[in-house]
């Protein structure tokens, strides 16, 4: 059989038809982008800096720093108050489990990195006084918001927060941490 000769117009029509048909095979076909949740805005707390674009990931946990404050001399809760040995720094954190299994957020594995390169673990007393979680099970597709409290030497300046997710199913070691710069 001899090859079929096609004109330029017929070829263009076939390409347009193929594009239209293949577009109908993907998505919902309604041409709209995915819907998003309308989450109410939250007021920034006194003397706290609201942050944007400060996100990192460790395994299936995605972390976003949404607020930060440092150089606090005391912490006060509903049942106790305490002065800092140095100065308190508070990191407001949004954690999202992007995986399909429960992830455990362990407060005690997190670190605040100062400009001199030293790192500090969360302060147990400030964490307890402010009633923040020690360990938190974060379900699949779940998001949660809370504070991490650190007591660092007076005069230190925070450079970053180093956040550790939990190992995904089947992993034999901890995942690499996410290091997120602070303002």
């Amino acid at each position: 059989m001899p090859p079929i000769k096609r004109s330029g117009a017929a070829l263009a029509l076939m390409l347009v038809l193929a594009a239209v048909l293949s577009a109908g095979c993907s998505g919902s076909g309604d041409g709209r982008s995915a819907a998003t949740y309308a989450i109410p805005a939250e007021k920034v707390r006194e003397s706290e800096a609201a942050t944007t674009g400060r996100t990192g990931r460790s395994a299936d946990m995605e972390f976003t720093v949404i607020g930060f404050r440092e150089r606090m001399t005391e912490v006060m809760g509903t049942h106790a108050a305490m002065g800092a040995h140095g100065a308190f720094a508070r990191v407001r954190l949004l954690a999202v489990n992007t995986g399909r299994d429960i992830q455990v957020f362990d407060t005690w594995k997190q670190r605040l990195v100062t400009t001199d390169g030293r790192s500090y673990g969360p302060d147990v007393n400030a964490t307890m006084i402010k009633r923040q979680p020690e360990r938190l099970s974060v379900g699949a597709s779940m998001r949660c918001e809370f504070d991490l409290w650190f007591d660092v030497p007076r005069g230190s300046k925070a450079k970053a927060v180093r956040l550790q997710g939990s190992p995904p199913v089947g992993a034999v070691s901890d995942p690499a941490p996410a290091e997120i710069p602070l303002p």
Side-chain angles (χ1 to χ4, degrees), residues 2-168:
I4 300 174
K5 292 185 180 179
R6 295 187 175 104
S7 70
L11 187 56
L13 180 60
M14 286 179 10
L15 288 173
V16 168
L17 185 57
V20 169
L21 290 174
S22 67
C25 296
S26 62
S28 63
D30 61 11
R32 292 181 292 183
S33 63
T36 60
Y37 294 110
I39 297 175
E42 185 178 337
K43 276 187 160 182
V44 175
R45 293 172 290 182
E46 183 180 338
S47 300
E48 184 174 69
T51 63
T52 58
R54 300 191 184 272
T55 298
R57 185 182 183 112
S58 177
D60 287 336
M61 292 293 287
E62 184 174 88
F63 300 105
T64 303
V65 174
I66 59 173
F68 176 69
R69 183 176 176 195
E70 61 183 335
R71 299 190 177 118
M72 293 179 280
T73 57
E74 65 182 359
V75 62
M76 185 176 294
T78 58
H79 61 291
M82 184 183 81
H85 290 102
F88 289 116
R90 178 182 67 208
V91 178
R92 186 73 175 165
L93 191 63
L94 175 66
V96 180
N97 179 354
T98 61
R100 299 187 317 185
D101 196 13
I102 292 173
Q103 298 296 303
V104 177
F105 179 84
D106 186 346
T107 293
W108 311 122
K109 289 185 176 183
Q110 315 315 315
R111 297 290 177 263
L112 184 77
V113 181
T114 55
T115 54
D116 63 5
R118 296 177 67 194
S119 66
Y120 300 89
D123 184 76
V124 67
N125 294 313
T127 299
M128 296 300 121
I129 290 170
K130 295 309 274 184
R131 300 183 189 265
Q132 295 301 296
E134 290 183 71
R135 289 176 59 91
L136 181 65
S137 291
V138 184
S141 301
M142 180 179 152
R143 59 191 288 158
C144 51
E145 187 178 317
F146 51 91
D147 293 325
L148 293 174
W149 285 86
F150 301 90
D151 190 348
V152 298
R154 200 172 292 251
S156 292
K157 176 143 178 57
K159 174 182 161 185
V161 62
R162 191 174 296 140
L163 302 167
Q164 181 76 52
S166 63

